[in-house]
Amino acid sequence: MEIRPTGAALGMEVIGVDFRKPLPLQEREAIRQALLQSGVLFVRGQLLDERQFVDFARLFGELESYGSTMNKFLKAGHPDILVLSNIIEDGNPVGVADAGEYWHTDRSYVPKPAWSSCLHAIEVPHADDGTPLGDTEFSSMIAAAKALPLALRARLDKLSAWHEYVFRFTDKNNSMPGVSHPLILPHPMTKAPCLYVNKGFTHRIVDLPDAESTALMEELFEFAKRPEFVYRHKWQKGDLLLWDNYSTQHRATGGYALPQRRLMWRTTIQGVPLQ
Ligand code: SIN
């Protein structure tokens, strides 16, 4: 097995491993460490069935269950797998069509946000010339925290931000009232400082007047997506990819439509309380 950096600010590729077979403990630990170090980890050419995919994700921890609103998009008989897709069958969508075309960090709006999310590419859309479509971009919030100007970093070290699910969804969700997290989050497992703010779910900076809070958030949203922090993943059928939600943010880039079909399976790995 080889683990090779992508050359971008984040991301490593695992080569020479077949996740349909049990892995020696040492390799499992090396893969887990690589995810913690690099924020994004992927392996090409794995066509796993549902059981194998769930077993793969469990190498990284216990899985989160998806809320009841997602029930109709869970894989039948495999409730740990959420289907993301633009495919319509018999007039019904087979998965969640919105793959998240905005910068976000999964579940930052709960006290115990998911550590990692995992996608398995079952069908990848292509342009007529064969170019894959539907890339996903990831940005390193460790690189961003390191690159912050010193005065700004000192200011952020003392501040927290409020995260809430309703930012992009109109119905108030009383089961998820929102939560504040430090703007510079020490990664719970590695202690690396991470810029923890995302356009999808961060509403305001706690204890700042509205105008100042909005201006600072806008500055940080722009900063966090600088090209030098970003790795753009071009999907191939059979890819398995995980990201670390504490040290990265991500967005789907879209750019495809039926008959170009995209079908992803997703699992989510539990995290730890951030306070
Ligand atoms: C996600 O944001 O969870 C999915 C990203 C993608 O499908 O590209």
Side-chain angles (χ1 to χ4, degrees):
M1 178 179 87
E2 192 192 335
I3 302 182
R4 199 184 283 167
T6 59
L10 71 170
M12 288 191 187
E13 179 176 2
V14 183
I15 294 156
V17 74
D18 179 350
F19 283 106
R20 288 168 307 183
K21 300 182 184 150
L23 277 193
L25 192 60
Q26 210 180 340
E27 293 195 352
R28 286 199 327 229
E29 191 46 31
I31 288 172
R32 192 184 153 83
Q33 287 305 324
L35 174 61
L36 282 169
Q37 260 176 46
S38 67
V40 170
L41 191 76
F42 66 92
V43 52
R44 304 274 194 199
Q46 312 285 307
L47 272 179
L48 305 187
D49 64 23
E50 290 88 342
R51 166 105 265 144
Q52 292 162 337
F53 178 51
V54 168
D55 286 348
F56 167 78
R58 287 208 176 114
L59 294 176
F60 299 86
E62 293 298 311
L63 304 188
E64 285 206 342
S65 27
Y66 291 102
S68 53
T69 52
M70 294 294 178
N71 271 352
K72 64 179 179 200
F73 297 130
L74 300 181
K75 200 90 190 55
H78 302 275
D80 293 320
I81 303 179
L82 178 68
V83 177
L84 306 183
S85 185
N86 67 334
I87 300 170
I88 311 279
E89 263 169 18
D90 302 326
N92 298 313
V94 305
V96 180
D98 175 3
E101 291 181 32
Y102 52 96
W103 284 102
H104 65 283
T105 302
D106 292 338
R107 294 178 57 72
S108 70
Y109 44 81
V110 295
K112 186 180 155 192
W115 168 39
S116 177
S117 308
C118 178
L119 288 181
H120 188 23
I122 308 297
E123 290 190 54
V124 176
H126 287 85
D128 290 345
D129 67 0
T131 310
L133 303 172
D135 304 350
T136 309
E137 288 189 323
F138 299 90
S139 188
S140 167
M141 292 304 100
I142 294 179
K146 272 194 196 135
L148 285 166
L150 284 181
L152 179 57
R153 170 63 195 271
R155 186 171 173 222
L156 300 189
D157 275 331
K158 300 190 207 86
L159 292 171
S160 296
W162 184 257
H163 299 251
E164 203 170 327
Y165 188 57
V166 289
F167 199 40
R168 296 178 42 78
F169 303 90
T170 47
D171 293 339
K172 181 88 182 157
N173 186 328
N174 291 323
S175 67
M176 286 186 287
V179 66
S180 69
H181 295 301
L183 268 176
I184 300 293
L185 176 75
H187 190 292
M189 290 126 177
T190 66
K191 306 297 170 222
C194 306
L195 177 61
Y196 199 67
V197 63
N198 70 89
K199 191 162 181 149
F201 306 122
T202 310
H203 282 223
R204 62 175 185 277
I205 314 285
V206 178
D207 291 335
L208 289 190
D210 280 354
E212 203 181 325
S213 162
T214 304
L216 181 55
M217 280 193 304
E218 285 307 322
E219 181 182 350
L220 295 176
F221 295 154
E222 283 305 304
F223 190 85
K225 62 180 192 189
R226 283 192 180 179
E228 62 268 33
F229 308 145
V230 172
Y231 164 69
R232 183 176 177 120
H233 190 73
K234 294 208 157 293
W235 292 97
Q236 293 175 15
K237 180 177 169 146
D239 283 357
L240 277 175
L241 182 147
L242 299 117
W243 63 89
D244 178 326
N245 281 301
Y246 304 136
S247 66
T248 68
Q249 48 181 285
H250 63 281
R251 75 172 188 114
T253 63
Y256 55 89
L258 290 172
Q260 295 159 327
R261 292 163 54 109
R262 189 175 196 257
L263 178 62
M264 299 283 191
W265 291 350
R266 182 188 154 115
T267 51
T268 309
I269 294 143
Q270 286 183 22
V272 294
L274 294 187
Q275 279 100 11

